[in-house]
Amino acid sequence: MSESWKKTACILCECNCGLEVQLGGEGGGHFTRIRGDKAHPASEGYACEKPHRLDFYQNGPDRITAPLRRKEDGSFEEIDWDTAIAEVTQRLAAIRDEHGGDTIFYFGGGGQGNHFPAAYSAASRRVLGSRYRSSALAQEKTGEFWVGGRLMGEVTRADFEHCEVGIFIGKNPWQSHGIPRARVTLKAMAKDPQRTMIVIDPRETETAKMADIHLQVKPGADAWLLAALGGALVQEDLVDHAWVQEHVDGADDPIAALREIPVGEYSEISGVSEELVRETARRIGKAESVAIFEDLGIQMNRFSTLNSYLNKLLWVLTGNFAKEGAQYIPSYLVSVAGNLKKFGAGGEAKRSPVANKRIIGGLTPCNSIPSEILTDHPKRYRAMIVESSNPAHSMPDSQAMREALSALDTLVVIDIAMTETARLADYILPTPTQFEKAEATFFNFEFPENYFHVRQPLFDPPEGVLPEAEIHARICEVLGAYSDEDLAPLHAALEQGRPAFIPAFFQNVLSNPKLAPLASVILYRTLGPHLPPGMQTAAVVWGLCHQLANKYPESMARAGFDGPSFVAAEKLFDAIIENPSGVVFSIDEPDVSWSRMSTPNGKIQASIPELLQELSTLKDASPGTGSASFPFVLSAGERRSFTANTIFRSPEWRKKDAQGSLRINPDDASELGVHDGDQVRLSTKRGSVEVPVELSVMMQRGHVSLPNGLGLDVSGPEGSQVRTGVALNELTSVDDGDEFVGTPWHKHVPARIEAIA
Ligand SMILES: Nc1nc2c(c(=O)[nH]1)N[C@H]1C(S)=C(S)[C@@H](COP(=O)(O)OP(=O)(O)OC[C@H]3O[C@@H](n4cnc5c(=O)[nH]c(N)nc54)[C@H](O)[C@@H]3O)O[C@H]1N2
Ligand SMILES: Nc1nc2c(c(=O)[nH]1)N[C@H]1C(S)=C(S)[C@@H](COP(=O)(O)OP(=O)(O)OC[C@H]3O[C@@H](n4cnc5c(=O)[nH]c(N)nc54)[C@H](O)[C@@H]3O)O[C@H]1N2
Ligand code: SF4
Ligand SMILES: [Mo]
């Protein structure tokens, strides 16, 4: 490797592929060359086309380089950091003291590339008494989390590298990835005649085109299709009875329900032939191993939580768990799903204070956030800290969200740039970008080898920004959460070296109920300065390594981190800090997942009465397509080649199709009298926009699709704002969502299209 290549990772999707980059340009502040890092444990040199445009993030528009405070007239003024931290802390503490810290709501904590903010904010939230939080996960994954929690107290991932049958439900990994080296893995599956790829998607996606079986479901009809698949499995006796007998409790209930499913009728409702449904069920039933990935196509759609359950029954009833090529429970440093163990033990979800909605994995449902704020209820959320997220743009129903954010007593936004959410803030606290500080994600789900990657900083941050760790430590310090005396023994121990620090930290911090919850910022303050230059924000990883060594000693030993747990932990932490490509921290045995479940008797609990009840309602329901006023179903948020949530604010990052066209079936277009590239008016019950169309045979009739990540408001000339493309959530409504966990139906928005003369 030439001297000038530096190692980092891509921050654009959860895969976080390892990258090698060269820096240059004006002041050396730009990415000039980017390629995959062959030494990265998961991506092994792979990278898609998107990271080549990362400079549009690093040098994006509307960067903020000083704390900002809103003035009476609505504009912002720059203030110094001492003032900013003092005022923010004082305002939040006043709300805590008058109304209770539980009225301070926290949103975000990281995106696709940065999860340290979540780790550090845990401390300041604790000091502020903040108890409720949420993030984008609560508009996608909480249904799946709840179902996983009920079945086994955990969430699963699946092994697509080794599966015989791979199934993608409402997931287009060719574009969205989500599995390591997605395109390589997909091609390998497609090429191997012994293996079968099955895609369930209304669109003929890039992935569906490669599949052996494409179940081209009608939009929103997956519940019928999955019920029919499960029905065929049970009725044709493809269930692995011996396995189920040994490993599953309560299987009789879903089996009885599936036995009653009219497979022919439900197939027809779903738009897929009965013959193909039965062929698919047989393929699943007879395979050595089946891996399934469900994603937004069903998780942001009608019956989403039921769909998650029906999906999981497919592998539960066929024994596709805890073996190669099937579902598994990964080792993890931090569970992004939160703690689901209580559900495995039959526990109930906590509820949100105003709307009384289920809180899954600690996350208030996104659809109920406005109603948790826009009320005179004494326990309404009165203040909000938004960190590394853009809810005014990305949450359902931007109009409702803006109204709610504006109604707060105090809104504090911690971001790198002036976002749609930041524009509504009382205070904006600016941070370095993810390439100007050490960062990492907790999206570490690989199996049997799992890895962790702390990225070393590449650029110097501008003066005037502070990393999240520093912001949260200062908030704790202003509130007197710990004193110099509290930290003195830690500093003293560090003078002698890390071996002395271990017992000092355990005795003085972890055994002290006042300090234990502040462990992350205390590590940052004490251990941080002893780490190599630029790595201070990685201090929290030290604590995680020690937790890990207690949780998975055998898996860690197999990865070379052996010995007594504190020794193994120290070795791992050193390896992580020293290795810029990431480190394999655990190597698992195929059946390890059994030991990671948390149900009282160690068996999967397959009966979920609420969802079986929901299943029984399908016979009287319909997929909900096509009313007279809204004849189309809009999928609001398709992952395309150049979309990446709202990480890129510069419209220039999309060289082609800058506006993000509405994809529509050519026959629908011709009925409307519109041609490729024409502008149309697209309306939903919530709003109306103009957008160019792209005629696409990918789309089935009646279904239209818009890309995600567009419609950002970026500063233009003379204080103006320029919006490029459609801001999707001007079109969505908080009223449309899952009844169990409050996830929105972004992929199923009734819509109308009119040609513009
Ligand atoms: N390029 C790119 N990649 C990304 C991201 C990005 O912004 N851009 N974002 C990342 C993030 S945060 C996430 S969560 C993932 C999401 O990854 P995916 O879930 O794969 O992405 P989507 O394109 O939103 O939705 C997947 C598919 O759902 C289908 N769908 C729509 N309606 C239905 C339906 O009724 N039934 C079924 N079965 N399918 C339906 C759509 O046609 C689409 O092909 O992608 C990640 N990767
Ligand atoms: N209609 C519709 N809406 C959707 C979706 C959809 O398909 N359709 N998809 C949803 C999904 S799956 C997701 S995951 C969400 C994503 O929505 P969000 O959670 O809002 O995530 P991002 O859009 O990635 O926004 C990340 C923010 O972090 C900021 N940022 C970047 N780096 C740093 C940093 O180092 N520190 C700090 N403090 N801030 C930083 C960026 O400037 C940006 O404002 O969108 C959701 N919204
Ligand atoms: S797959 Fe995801 S993480 Fe990897 S290079 Fe592409 S966008 Fe980046
Ligand atoms: Mo997401």
Side-chain angles (χ1 to χ4, degrees), residues 57 139 389-390 394 414-415 434 437 468 636 639 646 729:
Y57 163 77
Q139 62 175 333
S389 189
N390 188 6
S394 59
I414 305 174
D415 205 299
Q434 298 177 42
K437 64 195 169 205
E468 292 85 349
R639 272 65 188 165
T646 68
N729 291 312

Side-chain angles (χ1 to χ4, degrees), residues 252-408:
D252 290 350
D253 295 345
I255 288 177
L258 291 170
R259 188 165 290 127
E260 298 305 315
I261 297 294
V263 174
E265 189 190 324
Y266 279 20
S267 300
E268 195 185 325
I269 294 174
S270 78
V272 180
S273 76
E274 175 176 359
E275 204 186 333
L276 190 55
V277 168
R278 290 189 181 276
E279 183 194 324
T280 308
R282 287 178 206 130
R283 186 68 189 94
I284 294 170
K286 292 184 179 146
E288 274 301 311
S289 60
V290 179
I292 312 183
F293 199 140
E294 62 163 74
D295 215 342
L296 304 186
I298 60 167
Q299 294 184 336
M300 293 179 168
N301 215 319
R302 300 184 68 242
F303 297 103
S304 52
T305 302
L306 173 61
N307 286 337
S308 288
Y309 181 45
L310 292 171
N311 152 24
K312 289 177 201 325
L313 285 175
L314 294 178
W315 57 256
V316 168
L317 296 179
T318 53
N320 279 294
F321 176 68
K323 65 178 187 186
E324 192 180 76
Q327 330 316 300
Y328 59 84
I329 300 173
S331 55
Y332 44 73
L333 277 87
V334 171
S335 167
V336 294
N339 188 348
L340 303 171
K341 295 197 188 319
K342 70 169 169 220
F343 298 119
E348 276 294 322
K350 193 168 116 179
R351 298 275 175 160
S352 66
V354 177
N356 194 35
K357 296 293 184 195
R358 278 192 189 87
I359 291 182
I360 311 296
L363 305 173
T364 295
C366 286
N367 267 13
S368 64
I369 292 172
S371 55
E372 303 289 339
I373 299 171
L374 296 168
T375 160
D376 55 11
H377 192 288
K379 280 297 169 193
R380 66 179 180 272
Y381 301 151
R382 293 167 191 265
M384 202 162 150
I385 303 170
V386 176
E387 185 168 42
S388 199
S389 189
N390 188 6
H393 184 275
S394 59
M395 290 301 107
D397 210 328
S398 300
Q399 300 164 63
M401 201 67 204
R402 277 193 300 270
E403 198 190 327
L405 293 171
S406 307
L408 293 162

